Amino acid sequence: GHAGSPGSDVRRTTRVRRSDPSTGGDMKEPRFAIDTADAASVQAHLLRCADSFIPPLRERVDVARYSEKIALHATTFEAWNGGALIGLVAAYANDPSTGFAFVTSVSVDGDHVGRGIARQLIRECLAYATSHGFDAVRLEVATNNEAALRLYESSGFRTTDAAGTTLTMQWQHEPEGRP
């Protein structure tokens, strides 16, 4: 089980556009990367996004320890603006024998929400999982996180289980040419 994981959350959509030195200021196209972020970059990003998680991230995890765990054990799909990590999808994709990878975190910095960054990072995560022998990708999301639910459903995830206020969703790889 993933009882200790904070689930998969997406930042609430706030369509505020402003210059913010903490995220590199201007709105140039983000640079995408895989597995380059260290724990400090992950932590700085998650702390900028913490209050926008549903439910709030600090209520569920020690952000410093969680950032360390992500940096050490997760595959990270990253969007960067200059030296600032502005978008992150973190997935545990370590053991294909389980049959599925698990997305533990989805977040985009407030200034950059609504630009398709989370969608692009999810796409990269699904492609990575498939190419590394995973047939499915799972995540958990709060039932009241409407922006996240829309993102995941439009990315091909389907609800497979519901427990309290948490849904488990799964994306299933469909090999080409299956009848």
Side-chain angles (χ1 to χ4, degrees):
H2 293 280
S5 91
S8 305
D9 297 301
V10 122
R11 247 183 141 297
R12 259 185 225 129
T13 2
T14 47
R15 304 224 181 254
V16 178
R17 293 288 181 267
R18 65 183 184 278
S19 181
D20 178 354
S22 73
T23 57
D26 62 280
M27 288 290 168
K28 59 181 175 288
E29 279 307 299
R31 175 175 56 82
F32 292 94
I34 297 177
D35 261 347
T36 67
D38 60 10
S41 299
V42 171
Q43 183 175 348
H45 168 76
L46 290 177
L47 287 172
R48 281 195 303 274
C49 299
D51 294 337
S52 304
F53 279 84
I54 302 172
L57 191 60
R58 286 185 194 85
E59 290 178 10
R60 295 176 286 151
V61 296
D62 173 320
V63 177
R65 289 218 331 257
Y66 182 53
S67 301
E68 190 72 32
K69 183 180 175 193
I70 285 174
L72 286 172
H73 302 295
T75 302
T76 53
F77 304 88
E78 308 151 5
W80 295 85
N81 188 29
L85 182 62
I86 58 164
L88 176 68
V89 168
Y92 298 110
N94 311 318
D95 183 2
S97 72
T98 62
F100 67 92
F102 185 81
V103 173
T104 183
S105 187
V106 176
S107 52
V108 173
D109 239 309
D111 285 356
H112 299 275
V113 167
R115 299 175 64 200
I117 292 171
R119 184 172 310 283
Q120 174 66 29
L121 295 174
I122 293 272
R123 250 197 312 270
E124 290 183 16
C125 175
L126 298 178
Y128 177 96
T130 301
S131 69
H132 285 76
F134 294 91
D135 292 328
V137 177
R138 288 184 190 160
L139 53 78
E140 293 174 349
V141 60
T143 52
N144 63 337
N145 192 342
E146 289 164 24
L149 287 167
R150 278 195 307 274
L151 171 67
Y152 302 146
E153 285 168 358
S154 68
S155 298
F157 285 83
R158 298 295 169 254
T159 300
T160 56
D161 191 35
T165 59
T166 302
L167 297 180
T168 300
M169 299 183 81
Q170 179 165 299
W171 173 89
Q172 191 74 40
H173 175 60
E174 297 298 341
E176 306 305 316
R178 183 184 280 180

